[in-house]
Amino acid sequence: NAGVTQTPKFQVLKTGQSMTLQCAQDMNHNSMYWYRQDPGMGLRLIYYSASEGTTDKGEVPNGYNVSRLNKREFSLRLESAAPSQTSVYFCASSGWSPGANVLTFGAGSRLTVL
Amino acid sequence: DAKTTQPTSMDCAEGRAANLPCNHSTISGNEYVYWYRQIHSQGPQYIIHGLKNNETNEMASLIITEDRKSSTLILPHATLRDTAVYYCIVSDNAGNNRKLIWGLGTSLAVNP
């Protein structure tokens, strides 16, 4: 029972390089999310996907793109990395059930942009 | 979704109960209180949630005041592994978490 799996766990990029963070969930959840977490700040939503085939911007979408490849997979792409994108990134998923809307998070991806 | 207020940090002795408060004075009638915790930069982990009544599961108990403006998460016998940041979140359970407000939570240190 893997839950939410993120890859890679660690990545170092140079300014201007591109990369894609991968996320997959095996819980048959409809909704998936990408958050970033910076020191001294709460989790901030970058993009979310309410269901397969749909994506929408969250609080801090600039500099990022996403793809909901299928129901299981939701990727986050940095086209031209900047030092301000140094952060820990978390993917999460949630599935609706009456009286509960629980988020399940991945282990995180720590990205450093030099 | 409503915003919550939590103390920045708390200490607790191992084996004692840890009582973590949360204020959510602007909570709406259809909003639930959720608690998550984050251990040492891992992904946040769901603990418990409730609407009006007190709730208990294998991890913790949740006490919600009658006016629903505040709640307390209780870890009955805290262990060193409970050292974490605890987040109190309010959600309307509409099926989409895009409006959740994640503050800085309470950093709980369980001491031997």
Side-chain angles (χ1 to χ4, degrees):
Chain A
N1 188 8
V4 177
T5 303
Q6 292 181 232
T7 56
K9 286 186 168 38
F10 300 94
Q11 184 72 48
V12 178
L13 292 177
K14 294 181 180 178
T15 297
Q17 287 185 318
S18 62
M19 77 158 298
T20 300
L21 299 176
Q22 307 285 356
C23 175
Q25 53 94 5
D26 62 3
M27 296 169 287
N28 202 34
H29 284 167
N30 285 324
S31 299
M32 297 186 72
Y33 311 81
W34 276 105
Y35 290 90
R36 62 177 288 174
Q37 187 173 39
D38 301 297
M41 305 190 74
L43 286 169
R44 292 185 292 169
L45 183 65
I46 305 171
Y47 269 94
Y48 67 95
S49 171
S51 62
E52 184 179 357
T54 68
T55 62
D56 212 338
K57 296 177 180 179
E59 180 185 355
V60 289
N62 291 344
Y64 305 95
N65 285 303
V66 290
S67 296
R68 184 73 182 266
L69 304 171
N70 47 56
K71 191 170 186 178
R72 290 187 64 250
E73 298 173 291
F74 188 39
S75 62
L76 178 71
R77 181 160 179 85
L78 288 70
E79 291 291 353
S80 179
S84 61
Q85 294 178 304
T86 293
S87 188
V88 180
Y89 292 85
F90 290 101
C91 178
S93 68
S94 67
W96 169 248
S97 63
N101 190 13
V102 174
L103 282 163
T104 302
F105 285 84
S109 298
R110 186 175 295 273
L111 175 64
T112 301
V113 183
L114 303 175
Chain B
D1 291 344
K3 187 176 179 180
T4 62
T5 303
Q6 300 177 252
T8 301
S9 63
M10 296 182 65
D11 287 298
C12 176
E14 189 177 18
R16 304 296 294 269
N19 298 288
L20 291 87
C22 179
N23 287 323
H24 30 78
S25 57
T26 60
I27 192 170
S28 300
N30 64 337
E31 289 181 318
Y32 289 71
V33 180
Y34 281 76
W35 284 83
Y36 289 79
R37 74 179 182 183
Q38 187 174 24
I39 297 174
H40 190 51
S41 296
Q42 297 176 19
Q45 173 193 24
Y46 165 78
I47 301 172
I48 197 168
H49 75 285
L51 181 64
K52 298 179 184 178
N53 301 321
N54 298 337
E55 303 287 345
T56 296
N57 63 19
E58 64 278 6
M59 292 181 69
S61 295
L62 174 60
I63 307 298
I64 302 174
T65 58
E66 191 170 346
D67 63 7
R68 302 207 325 119
K69 293 185 177 182
S70 65
S71 61
T72 301
L73 178 75
I74 301 172
L75 308 177
H77 305 287
T79 70
L80 298 179
R81 286 177 293 182
D82 292 321
T83 292
V85 177
Y86 288 77
Y87 298 97
C88 172
I89 307 290
V90 172
S91 169
D92 62 9
N93 270 8
N96 191 316
N97 292 294
R98 67 184 183 277
K99 296 181 181 177
L100 295 186
I101 300 173
W102 294 80
L104 294 178
T106 296
S107 180
L108 175 69
V110 180
N111 303 308

